Amino acid sequence: MYQSPRRLCSALLQRDASGLRRLPTPGLRRQSPPPAAAPRPASPRLLAAASAASAASGAARSCSRTGFLGPRLVSSSSFPALGEGKDNFVQCPVEALKWEERKCLILEEILAYQPDILCLQEVDHYFDTFQPLLSRLGYQGTFFPKPWSPCLDVEHNNGPDGCALFFLQNRFKLVNSANIRLTAMTLKTNQVAIAQTLECKESSRQFCIAVTHLKARTGWERFRSAQGCDLLQNLQNITQGAKIPLIVCGDFNAEPTEEVYKHFASSSLNLNSAYKLLSPDGQSEPPYTTWKIRTSGECRHTLDYIWYSKRALSVRAALDLLTEEQIGPNRLPSFNYPSDHLSLVCDFSFNEEPDGLF
Protein backbone atom coordinates (compact mmCIF):
# COMPACT_ATOMS: atom_id res chain seq x y z
CA MET A 1 0.00 0.00 0.00
CA TYR A 2 1.31 3.46 -0.92
CA GLN A 3 2.49 5.64 1.92
CA SER A 4 3.32 9.30 1.47
CA PRO A 5 6.89 10.50 2.10
CA ARG A 6 5.63 12.45 5.08
CA ARG A 7 4.04 9.38 6.67
CA LEU A 8 7.10 7.24 5.98
CA CYS A 9 9.41 9.87 7.39
CA SER A 10 7.25 10.19 10.48
CA ALA A 11 7.20 6.44 11.01
CA LEU A 12 10.95 6.13 10.51
CA LEU A 13 11.69 8.88 12.96
CA GLN A 14 8.99 7.75 15.38
CA ARG A 15 7.61 11.22 15.70
CA ASP A 16 4.33 12.91 14.87
CA ALA A 17 3.93 13.65 11.15
CA SER A 18 2.48 17.03 12.06
CA GLY A 19 6.02 18.12 12.89
CA LEU A 20 7.14 17.64 9.30
CA ARG A 21 6.94 20.20 6.52
CA ARG A 22 6.51 19.45 2.87
CA LEU A 23 9.49 20.69 0.87
CA PRO A 24 8.36 22.96 -1.96
CA THR A 25 9.96 21.35 -5.02
CA PRO A 26 10.02 22.38 -8.66
CA GLY A 27 9.32 19.87 -11.39
CA LEU A 28 11.50 17.70 -13.57
CA ARG A 29 12.17 19.15 -16.98
CA ARG A 30 12.47 16.49 -19.67
CA GLN A 31 15.11 16.69 -22.35
CA SER A 32 13.11 14.49 -24.69
CA PRO A 33 10.17 12.12 -24.17
CA PRO A 34 10.89 8.39 -24.29
CA PRO A 35 9.95 6.79 -27.63
CA ALA A 36 6.25 5.93 -27.61
CA ALA A 37 6.84 2.56 -29.20
CA ALA A 38 9.11 1.32 -26.46
CA PRO A 39 7.33 0.62 -23.16
CA ARG A 40 9.71 1.10 -20.24
CA PRO A 41 9.84 -0.16 -16.71
CA ALA A 42 9.88 2.31 -13.85
CA SER A 43 13.14 4.22 -13.94
CA PRO A 44 15.76 3.77 -11.25
CA ARG A 45 16.75 7.00 -9.63
CA LEU A 46 19.98 8.22 -8.24
CA LEU A 47 20.22 10.68 -5.40
CA ALA A 48 23.53 12.42 -4.98
CA ALA A 49 24.47 14.97 -2.45
CA ALA A 50 26.88 17.65 -3.27
CA SER A 51 28.07 20.30 -0.92
CA ALA A 52 27.75 21.84 2.44
CA ALA A 53 24.48 21.59 4.23
CA SER A 54 22.14 18.69 3.84
CA ALA A 55 23.50 15.30 4.81
CA ALA A 56 25.84 15.73 7.65
CA SER A 57 25.41 16.86 11.17
CA GLY A 58 22.33 18.75 10.38
CA ALA A 59 21.94 18.16 6.75
CA ALA A 60 22.68 15.53 4.30
CA ARG A 61 23.64 17.73 2.48
CA SER A 62 22.19 5.30 -13.29
CA CYS A 63 21.10 0.95 -15.60
CA SER A 64 19.99 -1.81 -17.62
CA ARG A 65 19.06 -2.89 -21.14
CA THR A 66 18.93 -0.59 -24.09
CA GLY A 67 16.07 1.81 -23.54
CA PHE A 68 15.82 1.11 -19.83
CA LEU A 69 15.70 4.36 -17.90
CA GLY A 70 18.63 4.72 -15.58
CA PRO A 71 18.94 6.16 -12.11
CA ARG A 72 17.75 9.50 -10.90
CA LEU A 73 20.46 11.56 -9.31
CA VAL A 74 19.78 14.12 -6.62
CA SER A 75 22.73 16.17 -5.53
CA SER A 76 22.60 18.29 -2.41
CA SER A 77 24.75 18.98 0.62
CA SER A 78 25.00 19.27 4.29
CA PHE A 79 27.32 20.92 6.65
CA PRO A 80 27.99 18.84 9.78
CA ALA A 81 28.40 21.64 12.29
CA LEU A 82 25.63 23.92 11.03
CA GLY A 83 23.89 23.80 14.38
CA GLU A 84 27.03 25.14 16.05
CA GLY A 85 26.83 28.43 14.15
CA LYS A 86 30.27 27.89 12.61
CA ASP A 87 29.18 28.95 9.13
CA ASN A 88 27.84 32.39 9.99
CA PHE A 89 24.53 32.13 8.15
CA VAL A 90 23.41 35.45 9.58
CA GLN A 91 19.88 35.41 8.11
CA CYS A 92 19.05 31.87 9.17
CA PRO A 93 17.39 31.32 12.57
CA VAL A 94 19.54 29.24 14.89
CA GLU A 95 16.63 26.86 15.43
CA ALA A 96 16.58 26.02 11.71
CA LEU A 97 20.19 24.83 11.93
CA LYS A 98 19.61 22.30 14.66
CA TRP A 99 19.99 18.67 13.62
CA GLU A 100 16.61 17.59 14.99
CA GLU A 101 14.97 20.23 12.79
CA ARG A 102 17.00 19.56 9.67
CA LYS A 103 16.92 15.79 9.92
CA CYS A 104 13.23 15.56 9.06
CA LEU A 105 13.54 17.88 6.08
CA ILE A 106 16.51 15.96 4.71
CA LEU A 107 14.85 12.58 5.05
CA GLU A 108 11.59 13.92 3.68
CA GLU A 109 13.38 15.16 0.57
CA ILE A 110 15.07 11.79 0.08
CA LEU A 111 11.75 9.98 0.46
CA ALA A 112 10.03 12.37 -1.95
CA TYR A 113 12.52 11.63 -4.74
CA GLN A 114 12.65 7.87 -4.04
CA PRO A 115 16.21 7.47 -5.32
CA ASP A 116 17.73 4.19 -6.39
CA ILE A 117 21.18 5.53 -5.58
CA LEU A 118 21.95 8.21 -3.05
CA CYS A 119 25.24 10.09 -2.83
CA LEU A 120 25.90 12.42 0.07
CA GLN A 121 28.69 14.66 1.22
CA GLU A 122 29.59 16.12 4.61
CA VAL A 123 27.77 13.35 6.40
CA ASP A 124 28.50 13.00 10.10
CA HIS A 125 25.22 11.34 11.10
CA TYR A 126 25.78 8.20 9.06
CA PHE A 127 25.76 5.66 11.87
CA ASP A 128 23.01 7.15 14.03
CA THR A 129 20.64 8.37 11.30
CA PHE A 130 21.22 7.62 7.63
CA GLN A 131 22.50 4.06 7.76
CA PRO A 132 19.89 2.66 10.17
CA LEU A 133 16.95 4.49 8.59
CA LEU A 134 17.85 3.95 4.95
CA SER A 135 18.73 0.29 5.52
CA ARG A 136 15.13 -0.20 6.63
CA LEU A 137 14.08 1.09 3.22
CA GLY A 138 16.28 -1.43 1.42
CA TYR A 139 19.44 0.58 0.86
CA GLN A 140 22.99 -0.67 1.28
CA GLY A 141 25.38 2.07 2.36
CA THR A 142 29.08 2.93 2.43
CA PHE A 143 30.69 5.72 4.41
CA PHE A 144 34.22 7.12 4.05
CA PRO A 145 35.16 9.85 6.55
CA LYS A 146 37.68 12.64 6.09
CA PRO A 147 41.01 11.87 7.80
CA TRP A 148 41.01 15.20 9.68
CA SER A 149 37.38 16.20 9.84
CA PRO A 150 36.70 19.71 11.23
CA CYS A 151 33.68 18.20 12.97
CA LEU A 152 36.03 16.68 15.52
CA ASP A 153 36.88 20.19 16.73
CA VAL A 154 33.26 20.79 17.73
CA GLU A 155 32.32 20.12 21.33
CA HIS A 156 29.99 17.11 21.71
CA ASN A 157 30.60 16.20 18.07
CA ASN A 158 29.06 13.20 16.37
CA GLY A 159 32.31 11.99 14.82
CA PRO A 160 34.01 12.88 11.52
CA ASP A 161 32.12 13.89 8.42
CA GLY A 162 32.69 12.36 5.00
CA CYS A 163 31.04 11.02 1.86
CA ALA A 164 28.30 8.39 1.83
CA LEU A 165 26.82 6.32 -0.98
CA PHE A 166 23.62 4.26 -0.83
CA PHE A 167 21.94 2.02 -3.42
CA LEU A 168 18.80 -0.10 -3.45
CA GLN A 169 19.73 -3.73 -2.93
CA ASN A 170 16.76 -5.02 -4.92
CA ARG A 171 17.91 -3.10 -8.01
CA PHE A 172 21.69 -3.37 -7.94
CA LYS A 173 24.48 -5.72 -6.95
CA LEU A 174 27.80 -4.33 -5.72
CA VAL A 175 30.64 -5.47 -7.99
CA ASN A 176 33.46 -3.53 -6.37
CA SER A 177 33.98 -0.50 -4.17
CA ALA A 178 36.88 1.90 -3.72
CA ASN A 179 37.41 4.45 -0.98
CA ILE A 180 39.71 7.14 -2.38
CA ARG A 181 41.73 9.61 -0.35
CA LEU A 182 42.49 12.34 -2.85
CA THR A 183 46.02 13.57 -3.44
CA ALA A 184 47.30 16.93 -4.66
CA MET A 185 50.80 17.15 -6.09
CA THR A 186 51.61 13.71 -4.55
CA LEU A 187 50.46 14.87 -1.10
CA LYS A 188 47.55 13.13 0.61
CA THR A 189 44.73 15.56 1.36
CA ASN A 190 41.75 15.76 3.67
CA GLN A 191 39.21 15.26 0.86
CA VAL A 192 37.79 11.87 -0.13
CA ALA A 193 35.67 10.07 -2.70
CA ILE A 194 33.76 6.81 -3.00
CA ALA A 195 33.54 4.98 -6.33
CA GLN A 196 31.44 1.84 -6.75
CA THR A 197 30.77 -0.39 -9.74
CA LEU A 198 27.18 -1.62 -9.64
CA GLU A 199 25.42 -4.24 -11.71
CA CYS A 200 21.75 -3.92 -12.57
CA LYS A 201 20.02 -7.08 -11.46
CA GLU A 202 17.43 -6.90 -14.22
CA SER A 203 19.87 -6.51 -17.14
CA SER A 204 23.31 -7.45 -15.76
CA ARG A 205 24.72 -4.21 -17.18
CA GLN A 206 27.30 -2.39 -15.12
CA PHE A 207 28.11 1.23 -14.41
CA CYS A 208 30.28 3.16 -11.97
CA ILE A 209 28.94 5.79 -9.58
CA ALA A 210 31.24 8.14 -7.67
CA VAL A 211 30.72 10.86 -5.09
CA THR A 212 33.23 13.43 -3.90
CA HIS A 213 33.68 16.76 -2.15
CA LEU A 214 36.69 18.88 -3.10
CA LYS A 215 38.57 21.47 -1.05
CA ALA A 216 36.65 24.68 -0.37
CA ARG A 217 37.60 28.36 -0.28
CA THR A 218 39.08 30.97 -2.56
CA GLY A 219 42.83 30.65 -3.07
CA TRP A 220 42.77 26.86 -3.30
CA GLU A 221 42.03 26.63 -7.02
CA ARG A 222 45.27 24.84 -7.96
CA PHE A 223 44.77 22.45 -5.06
CA ARG A 224 41.25 21.57 -6.26
CA SER A 225 42.58 21.15 -9.78
CA ALA A 226 45.16 18.63 -8.56
CA GLN A 227 42.52 16.76 -6.54
CA GLY A 228 40.30 16.59 -9.61
CA CYS A 229 43.12 15.20 -11.74
CA ASP A 230 43.80 12.53 -9.11
CA LEU A 231 40.13 11.57 -9.00
CA LEU A 232 39.95 11.36 -12.79
CA GLN A 233 42.98 9.09 -12.86
CA ASN A 234 41.42 6.81 -10.26
CA LEU A 235 38.16 6.70 -12.22
CA GLN A 236 40.07 5.98 -15.42
CA ASN A 237 41.45 2.85 -13.78
CA ILE A 238 38.18 1.81 -12.17
CA THR A 239 36.19 2.15 -15.40
CA GLN A 240 38.89 0.30 -17.37
CA GLY A 241 39.59 3.28 -19.57
CA ALA A 242 35.95 4.40 -19.93
CA LYS A 243 34.66 0.91 -20.84
CA ILE A 244 32.27 1.10 -17.89
CA PRO A 245 29.74 3.99 -17.97
CA LEU A 246 30.35 6.57 -15.26
CA ILE A 247 28.42 9.10 -13.20
CA VAL A 248 30.26 11.47 -10.86
CA CYS A 249 28.45 13.80 -8.52
CA GLY A 250 29.48 16.10 -5.76
CA ASP A 251 30.39 19.49 -4.44
CA PHE A 252 33.43 20.54 -6.45
CA ASN A 253 33.62 23.95 -4.74
CA ALA A 254 34.54 25.33 -8.16
CA GLU A 255 32.84 27.60 -10.66
CA PRO A 256 32.78 26.50 -14.33
CA THR A 257 35.68 28.90 -14.97
CA GLU A 258 38.05 26.90 -12.76
CA GLU A 259 40.64 24.47 -14.06
CA VAL A 260 39.15 21.47 -12.25
CA TYR A 261 35.87 21.95 -14.15
CA LYS A 262 37.79 22.17 -17.42
CA HIS A 263 39.68 18.96 -16.58
CA PHE A 264 36.41 17.07 -16.18
CA ALA A 265 34.90 18.62 -19.31
CA SER A 266 37.92 17.65 -21.45
CA SER A 267 38.71 14.31 -19.84
CA SER A 268 39.35 11.19 -21.92
CA LEU A 269 36.44 9.69 -19.95
CA ASN A 270 34.17 11.71 -22.28
CA LEU A 271 32.10 13.34 -19.57
CA ASN A 272 29.38 15.94 -19.84
CA SER A 273 27.66 17.99 -17.15
CA ALA A 274 24.03 16.97 -16.76
CA TYR A 275 22.65 20.31 -15.62
CA LYS A 276 23.53 22.04 -18.87
CA LEU A 277 20.19 20.54 -19.93
CA LEU A 278 18.37 23.39 -18.20
CA SER A 279 20.13 26.16 -20.16
CA PRO A 280 18.55 27.54 -23.35
CA ASP A 281 21.54 26.52 -25.47
CA GLY A 282 22.29 23.29 -23.59
CA GLN A 283 25.87 24.48 -23.05
CA SER A 284 25.70 26.56 -19.87
CA GLU A 285 25.62 25.65 -16.20
CA PRO A 286 22.86 26.98 -13.90
CA PRO A 287 23.43 30.48 -12.48
CA TYR A 288 23.69 29.04 -8.97
CA THR A 289 23.58 25.85 -6.92
CA THR A 290 24.22 27.59 -3.60
CA TRP A 291 22.96 30.94 -2.33
CA LYS A 292 23.67 32.19 1.17
CA ILE A 293 24.21 35.27 3.30
CA ARG A 294 27.16 35.33 5.67
CA THR A 295 28.82 38.06 7.71
CA SER A 296 31.04 38.73 4.69
CA GLY A 297 27.98 39.35 2.51
CA GLU A 298 25.66 37.59 0.10
CA CYS A 299 27.16 35.00 -2.26
CA ARG A 300 25.65 33.01 -5.11
CA HIS A 301 27.74 30.36 -6.87
CA THR A 302 27.57 27.29 -9.11
CA LEU A 303 29.68 24.65 -7.34
CA ASP A 304 27.77 21.36 -7.66
CA TYR A 305 27.73 19.07 -10.69
CA ILE A 306 26.61 15.73 -12.02
CA TRP A 307 29.02 14.42 -14.66
CA TYR A 308 28.13 11.43 -16.84
CA SER A 309 29.52 9.36 -19.73
CA LYS A 310 27.96 11.14 -22.69
CA ARG A 311 28.60 8.29 -25.16
CA ALA A 312 26.94 5.67 -23.00
CA LEU A 313 24.26 7.63 -21.12
CA SER A 314 21.66 10.30 -21.79
CA VAL A 315 19.93 12.72 -19.42
CA ARG A 316 16.18 12.12 -19.70
CA ALA A 317 15.11 14.69 -17.15
CA ALA A 318 16.51 17.14 -14.62
CA LEU A 319 14.94 18.91 -11.68
CA ASP A 320 14.51 22.65 -12.10
CA LEU A 321 16.40 24.60 -9.48
CA LEU A 322 14.55 26.74 -6.99
CA THR A 323 13.85 30.28 -8.11
CA GLU A 324 14.90 33.34 -6.12
CA GLU A 325 11.31 33.75 -4.97
CA GLN A 326 11.10 30.15 -3.78
CA ILE A 327 14.40 30.43 -1.91
CA GLY A 328 13.24 33.61 -0.17
CA PRO A 329 14.99 36.84 0.85
CA ASN A 330 16.97 35.20 3.68
CA ARG A 331 18.45 32.70 1.23
CA LEU A 332 19.79 29.30 2.34
CA PRO A 333 19.57 27.42 4.64
CA SER A 334 16.15 28.02 6.15
CA PHE A 335 13.21 26.34 7.87
CA ASN A 336 12.12 25.09 4.43
CA TYR A 337 15.51 24.08 3.04
CA PRO A 338 18.03 22.41 5.35
CA SER A 339 21.12 22.98 3.19
CA ASP A 340 22.89 25.99 1.75
CA HIS A 341 23.19 24.00 -1.50
CA LEU A 342 20.34 22.96 -3.76
CA SER A 343 19.56 19.39 -4.68
CA LEU A 344 20.35 18.30 -8.22
CA VAL A 345 18.11 15.56 -9.59
CA CYS A 346 18.51 13.73 -12.92
CA ASP A 347 17.03 10.74 -14.69
CA PHE A 348 19.44 8.85 -16.95
CA SER A 349 19.04 6.22 -19.64
CA PHE A 350 21.50 4.07 -21.57
CA ASN A 351 22.08 5.14 -25.15
CA GLU A 352 20.87 2.67 -27.74
CA GLU A 353 24.25 2.58 -29.45
CA PRO A 354 26.87 2.96 -26.70
CA ASP A 355 29.83 2.80 -29.10
CA GLY A 356 31.02 -0.49 -27.74
CA LEU A 357 31.21 0.72 -24.16
CA PHE A 358 29.17 -2.25 -22.95
Side-chain angles (χ1 to χ4, degrees), residues 75-105:
S75 178
S76 70
S77 274
S78 85
F79 194 76
L82 278 183
E84 302 296 325
K86 303 290 184 182
D87 257 326
N88 298 315
F89 295 120
V90 294
Q91 296 296 103
C92 181
V94 175
E95 292 78 10
L97 299 177
K98 294 184 181 301
W99 174 238
E100 288 304 314
E101 180 69 29
R102 302 169 70 211
K103 175 171 64 176
C104 288
L105 290 175

Side-chain angles (χ1 to χ4, degrees), residues 103-115:
K103 175 171 64 176
C104 288
L105 290 175
I106 295 163
L107 292 171
E108 190 173 67
E109 185 168 4
I110 293 172
L111 290 167
Y113 292 130
Q114 301 178 38

Side-chain angles (χ1 to χ4, degrees), residues 28 30 34 40-46 62-63 67-72 113-116 168 171-172 316-317 346-349:
L28 283 169
R30 290 208 168 272
R40 306 176 187 275
S43 65
R45 296 156 184 181
L46 184 136
S62 222
C63 339
F68 183 75
L69 286 180
R72 168 169 295 171
Y113 292 130
Q114 301 178 38
D116 294 303
L168 281 176
R171 303 301 298 268
F172 309 109
R316 290 292 181 180
C346 290
D347 286 342
F348 291 93
S349 67

Side-chain angles (χ1 to χ4, degrees), residues 55-296:
S57 152
R61 180 185 248 287
S62 222
C63 339
S64 162
R65 304 184 189 83
T66 298
F68 183 75
L69 286 180
R72 168 169 295 171
L73 186 141
V74 179
S75 178
S76 70
S77 274
S78 85
F79 194 76
L82 278 183
E84 302 296 325
K86 303 290 184 182
D87 257 326
N88 298 315
F89 295 120
V90 294
Q91 296 296 103
C92 181
V94 175
E95 292 78 10
L97 299 177
K98 294 184 181 301
W99 174 238
E100 288 304 314
E101 180 69 29
R102 302 169 70 211
K103 175 171 64 176
C104 288
L105 290 175
I106 295 163
L107 292 171
E108 190 173 67
E109 185 168 4
I110 293 172
L111 290 167
Y113 292 130
Q114 301 178 38
D116 294 303
I117 304 170
L118 170 64
C119 302
L120 307 172
Q121 301 101 53
E122 296 196 279
V123 177
D124 69 338
H125 279 278
Y126 178 83
F127 294 105
D128 67 347
T129 301
F130 292 103
Q131 195 280 329
L133 294 183
L134 292 176
S135 66
R136 291 166 63 184
L137 294 176
Y139 291 92
Q140 178 176 325
T142 299
F143 175 64
F144 189 34
K146 295 175 183 175
W148 312 304
S149 171
C151 293
L152 298 177
D153 296 328
V154 177
E155 188 176 3
H156 308 304
N157 67 76
N158 199 57
D161 75 294
C163 291
L165 194 156
F166 294 88
F167 64 86
L168 281 176
Q169 298 181 80
N170 66 347
R171 303 301 298 268
F172 309 109
K173 177 177 70 175
L174 179 63
V175 177
N176 60 58
S177 181
N179 291 341
I180 304 167
R181 182 176 175 184
L182 299 176
T183 64
M185 296 160 279
T186 72
L187 298 175
K188 292 183 177 180
T189 73
N190 195 35
Q191 279 64 48
V192 300
I194 301 173
Q196 295 188 335
T197 301
L198 303 179
E199 181 177 299
C200 301
K201 291 187 174 181
E202 184 174 340
S203 70
S204 298
R205 298 181 81 169
Q206 296 183 0
F207 68 100
C208 177
I209 174 68
V211 57
T212 193
H213 182 202
L214 302 186
K215 175 66 180 175
R217 304 192 188 285
T218 302
W220 292 84
E221 291 82 4
R222 291 182 62 190
F223 195 83
R224 278 192 291 274
S225 177
Q227 288 183 325
C229 288
D230 180 56
L231 179 57
L232 285 170
Q233 184 58 58
N234 276 278
L235 294 175
Q236 181 81 21
N237 296 334
I238 292 169
T239 61
Q240 303 170 24
K243 290 181 179 179
I244 300 174
L246 172 67
I247 297 176
V248 188
C249 55
D251 177 2
F252 285 71
N253 275 309
E255 293 274 10
T257 53
E258 276 199 33
E259 286 300 316
V260 65
Y261 180 96
K262 296 174 183 177
H263 289 323
F264 272 76
S266 61
S267 165
S268 61
L269 291 169
N270 295 305
L271 302 175
N272 195 18
S273 178
Y275 256 68
K276 289 181 179 180
L277 164 66
L278 298 185
S279 66
D281 60 1
Q283 299 298 316
S284 306
E285 295 290 352
Y288 53 84
T289 61
T290 178
W291 198 341
K292 67 203 85 176
I293 302 175
R294 286 177 166 151
T295 51
S296 56

